[in-house]
Every structure is written in C-alpha cells, then in structure tokens.
Amino acid sequence: MEALINILTISIPVVAVSWLLPERWQMLPVVVATALFLAWVSPLSLMVLAVTTLISYYTIKVYPSLTSAVLIVIIQITAIFLFFKLELGLKGALLKEAIIPLGLSYYSFRQIHYAIEAYKKQLPQHTILDFISYLFFLPTILIGPINRFQPFLKDLKRRRWDSTLFSLGLERILYGLAKITVIGNWILVFKFNNFIRSIRLDYPWLADYLNVVKYVSNAYIQFAGYSDVAIGLSMLLGFKITENFNYPFLATNIADFWRRWHISLSNWCRDYVFYPFLGMTRNGVISIIMSMLVLGAWHEISMRYLLWGAMHAVAISVWHKYEGKAIHRKLSQFPLVQKGLGIFITLHFVLFSFVLIMEENIWESIELYKRLLFI
Amino acid sequence: MYEYLTEKIGDKMASVIMAIWYFCLLYLVLFFLNYEAGLFNYLHW
C-alpha cells in the first residue's frame, strides 16, 4: 500500500509535466520518475532492470544471428529470474532473508515476450528510447499487468491529449483505491476477520472455510484494485493497458477462470509456453502442465506453488476431457443448471487450491485440508 | 453508469449524481487510508 501511495504521489507531477512537454520529450519524466522510484525503494531492481534492458535491446539489435541473440536474452533473463525466485523459495528453509528486486517478475516476463516477438519478426520499427519507455513505465512497474510491447508502442506513437480517457483514468484509480482500502483492507481483512474469529470456537469448520473465502477474495480485491490503479494511471498518460481481471469468480469452468484471472499472465503462458510445447509435443496435457507449472513458478519457486500450478493443470485437463463426454452435452440442455453448477464447482475448486498457497508452509496446508475435509 | 443515468434522468441530474458518487468514494478512500495508518499497523500492510 505504501509503495502504491508513493507511486500515486510521484505520478501527479509526472503526468502534469509529461503533458506540458513537447511530444518527443513526453516520456522522459515517466522514465526518470520510474528510475528514481526504483532507486529509492529497490536499488537492486533498478540495477537489474537497467542492465537487462540494455543487454536485451542491443543483443537483439547488434548480434549477427537473431536465433542466438534471442536465446542469449531468454537465458540471461531466465537465469536472473530463477536466481532471485529460488532465493525467495528457499527463504525460511535455508536462508534467513531473501531480497527480491521489486517488479522483477513483471519486467523479466516483458523482456522474454520482447525477445520471442523479435524472433517471430513481429516487432515494429522502434528505438532504444521506445524500449526503455516500455520497461521503465511507472504505472505498471510495481504490480503489472504484463502488457505487450506492440500495443504499448502503438499508443506511444499515437497518443494525444484526450480528456475522456483522462477522466476515465481518474475514475479507474478511484475505483481501484476504493477496492483496496474499503472492500479489501476494511471489510475483508478487518471486519470479516473479526467475524471469523468470533465464530471460531462454536463453528470451527465454518471458520476455516470462511478464512479460505476471505483469503481468496482479498487476494482478488487487492490485486484487481492495484491493477485498476495501474490501468487508470496509464490512461492519465494516454495509454490503454490490457485488462487483468474479468469477474473471475463468475467463471463457469476452470479454463474460463484462467481467461478471467490475471489475464496478462495466463495469456503470456498460453502464447510462450503452451503453444510452443503443443507444437513440439503435439500433446495438450503436457503443454497445459508445463504452462501451469511456469505460471505457478512465476509467483514463487517452491513446492507449494508448483503443486498449486500442477493442481490447476490437472483440473484444466479433466475439464477438457469432460467437455467431450455425453453427460456434458446432456447437461447443456439445462443451461441455467449447468451455469450455476459450473460456477459453484469452479469457485470451490479455486478455494480448495488456494489453501496450498495461503499457509506459510505445505504442512500447515495439509492440516487445513484435513480440517476442511473432516479427516 | 453515467450513460445509464443520462438515459434515465437526463444529462444534468446524471452529472450531479456522478459528482456526489465520486466525492463519496474519495471521502471513503481518504477516510480508510487515514484509519489504516493507525488501525492496521499491526497487520504490516
């Protein structure tokens, strides 16, 4: 929350100065403010981002073989990502402390996306300044979304002062902040938590169940709120950034859930893990498992997140198998029942899976599973 | 929401209601941010 307030405070002069400057200098205050913000809260992150940005751009630009250049960039970014994420995963078990560069997960995936698009020759003409503007973009540096380079560049070239977009941006920031402070921090974390505590002695099972509901809904509200602020801030600067959530708890099946929850990350995994693996192996199940494992590892490289990813992979595979069965076709004759049942089952599977990541370690999660399943 | 209100009650009233709505939200956000600063310290937000 503190970092978000800092970003918002910095953004007020940045947005004003940006629109007052001549067109070719308009991104300069945004890039400088991002660098200063990172230097202030996470100097390590600034160093990693600056070095990888230059290496990624110039390797692809200058290196004679495009395939080797792209491979160098991907290996470089993946190695840095794995190093810090493994450090985080080992925290508690082997290490006392782990320092993770702020926003690493987002900008490393953006750079891998850039490298793969360069390999596919899908990148339009651009300069190093465009690439720096893309990676040093204050609204999305902290908590995403993992926006793509091509739409960003399009907005960068075409953006003009638009009062409607500006007011929509302000509205979006207000909604985002209201989600975080009122619904998330006040209603869910404080009020709902107190209610759960008050019933724990009399109804222990219900308290455990509601605790999982609280964790998942708070995770959604906080993340969706932060995304709203990021999208709103981008609008203030004239950029339309990709949406990250679309009512995920109304998903009627688990594949639908991943089209609605953290959309930018699941689309990234679909495009850069699922499709390449499908092309190589011609096996949908293996491709789903690989992409969900990457999705889990993106959060943290630890047993609980890998299991969480694997659990979702199994569920998506089961759903795809079920889709072809006669019972699914039969149930389709009752669309309302199918939809209601779909939402109920999907939501409860999601709640069930989040138990794995809501506790400090896997053993505590197992204890909670035992209590929830009356074992 | 604004478009819906404009259709139902006209441009002027819709603008007034939207302004009240935004001020209420802004007040709530500021109120809870202020509230959190003391109340939620123990949660390490």
Side-chain angles (χ1 to χ4, degrees):
Chain A
M1 192 70 204
E2 217 178 294
L4 186 72
I5 298 294
N6 291 338
I7 284 191
L8 277 172
T9 317
I10 297 167
S11 294
I12 296 168
V14 167
V15 171
V17 172
S18 172
W19 285 115
L20 288 173
L21 285 174
E23 203 179 313
R24 59 189 292 235
W25 299 112
Q26 280 180 353
M27 285 312 283
L28 188 68
V30 183
V31 172
V32 172
T34 312
L36 288 175
F37 171 73
L38 284 181
W40 178 30
V41 289
S42 175
L44 178 68
S45 183
L46 176 63
M47 204 182 75
V48 173
L49 180 58
V51 171
T52 53
T53 302
L54 294 176
I55 293 177
S56 298
Y57 182 80
Y58 283 110
T59 313
I60 289 170
K61 196 90 177 163
V62 177
Y63 209 76
S65 156
L66 182 63
T67 314
S68 313
V70 167
L71 273 177
I72 290 170
V73 170
I74 293 176
I75 290 169
Q76 173 225 191
I77 300 290
T78 313
I80 293 170
F81 180 81
L82 286 178
F83 175 77
F84 286 109
K85 286 281 171 173
L86 276 172
E87 194 190 28
L88 189 73
L90 292 173
K91 189 185 149 197
L94 293 172
L95 300 166
K96 272 185 186 166
E97 263 184 53
I99 306 164
I100 186 132
L102 192 75
L104 172 81
S105 312
Y106 297 97
Y107 60 70
S108 52
F109 270 40
R110 278 189 203 115
Q111 291 190 50
I112 294 173
H113 144 72
Y114 175 81
I116 296 174
E117 292 301 311
Y119 178 72
K120 289 196 223 162
K121 297 196 172 27
Q122 296 287 326
L123 291 181
Q125 277 287 335
H126 62 278
T127 62
I128 176 82
L129 292 176
D130 298 331
F131 188 53
I132 291 175
S133 304
Y134 169 61
L135 290 175
F136 283 74
F137 191 58
L138 190 64
T140 57
I141 194 80
L142 185 68
I143 200 142
I146 307 168
N147 55 325
R148 304 285 172 109
F149 183 65
Q150 295 94 327
F152 180 87
L153 194 67
K154 208 167 141 187
D155 280 346
L156 187 67
K157 302 290 177 204
R158 291 184 185 177
R159 61 195 270 279
R160 297 279 178 276
W161 169 257
D162 180 352
S163 53
T164 314
L165 191 66
F166 196 85
S167 58
L168 277 175
L170 286 176
E171 185 189 45
R172 202 66 197 267
I173 293 171
L174 193 55
Y175 284 163
L177 285 174
K179 274 183 193 170
I180 300 168
T181 55
V182 184
I183 306 175
N185 290 357
W186 170 245
I187 296 178
L188 289 171
V189 177
F190 192 70
K191 280 288 173 190
F192 198 43
N193 211 22
N194 280 354
F195 171 71
I196 293 169
R197 261 188 231 161
S198 71
I199 62 162
R200 185 162 285 284
L201 280 177
D202 297 326
Y203 308 98
W205 184 89
L206 187 63
D208 281 331
Y209 173 79
L210 290 179
N211 205 25
V212 182
V213 172
K214 185 206 80 185
Y215 177 81
V216 177
S217 43
N218 188 43
Y220 164 65
I221 284 293
Q222 298 281 345
F223 200 7
Y226 275 91
S227 294
D228 279 344
V229 174
I231 293 167
L233 268 181
S234 309
M235 285 176 172
L236 298 191
L237 290 163
F239 290 86
K240 284 178 198 153
I241 299 292
T242 174
E243 290 293 333
N244 227 7
F245 292 93
N246 179 24
Y247 304 104
F249 299 142
L250 294 179
T252 51
N253 59 64
I254 193 66
D256 187 28
F257 174 80
W258 280 108
R259 283 191 291 271
R260 292 161 172 267
W261 175 280
H262 207 169
I263 300 166
S264 62
L265 176 64
S266 49
N267 282 354
W268 191 100
C269 289
R270 183 198 61 200
D271 292 344
Y272 304 125
V273 186
F274 179 77
Y275 286 141
F277 266 94
L278 193 66
M280 278 190 287
T281 60
R282 300 268 159 214
N283 187 323
V285 176
I286 292 177
S287 313
I288 289 169
I289 291 172
M290 286 313 294
S291 51
M292 293 314 285
L293 286 180
V294 171
L295 202 143
W298 177 85
H299 295 85
E300 183 185 295
I301 301 178
S302 59
M303 191 50 85
R304 59 192 187 137
Y305 270 99
L306 291 176
L307 276 175
W308 178 72
M311 206 171 180
H312 278 267
V314 171
I316 295 170
S317 308
V318 168
W319 161 252
H320 284 309
K321 286 267 181 280
Y322 164 77
E323 248 184 329
K325 299 281 180 211
I327 184 170
H328 178 247
R329 283 194 294 276
K330 240 177 212 171
L331 213 60
S332 302
Q333 292 166 350
F334 310 98
L336 218 64
V337 176
Q338 192 185 37
K339 197 178 169 191
L341 211 61
I343 291 174
F344 181 81
I345 294 171
T346 308
L347 181 61
H348 280 81
F349 170 76
V350 170
L351 292 176
F352 193 74
S353 71
F354 270 70
V355 169
L356 266 176
I357 53 175
M358 70 176 274
E359 295 292 346
E360 280 294 307
N361 59 56
I362 207 157
W363 306 113
E364 283 180 32
S365 303
I366 291 171
E367 285 304 313
L368 184 52
Y369 275 133
K370 279 184 181 172
R371 292 203 299 272
L372 285 170
L373 298 169
F374 304 103
I375 303 172
Chain B
M1 189 157 101
Y2 177 71
E3 280 159 19
Y4 174 79
L5 286 174
T6 314
E7 255 177 48
K8 293 281 169 195
I9 50 173
D11 198 14
K12 223 172 204 172
M13 277 306 284
S15 302
V16 172
I17 290 178
M18 286 307 285
I20 295 170
W21 165 239
Y22 288 140
F23 275 115
C24 285
L25 269 184
L26 191 63
Y27 175 76
L28 274 177
V29 167
L30 293 176
F31 176 83
F32 281 110
L33 275 179
N34 180 41
Y35 207 72
E36 266 176 46
L39 189 71
F40 291 108
N41 270 353
Y42 71 96
L43 286 171
H44 307 292
W45 272 106

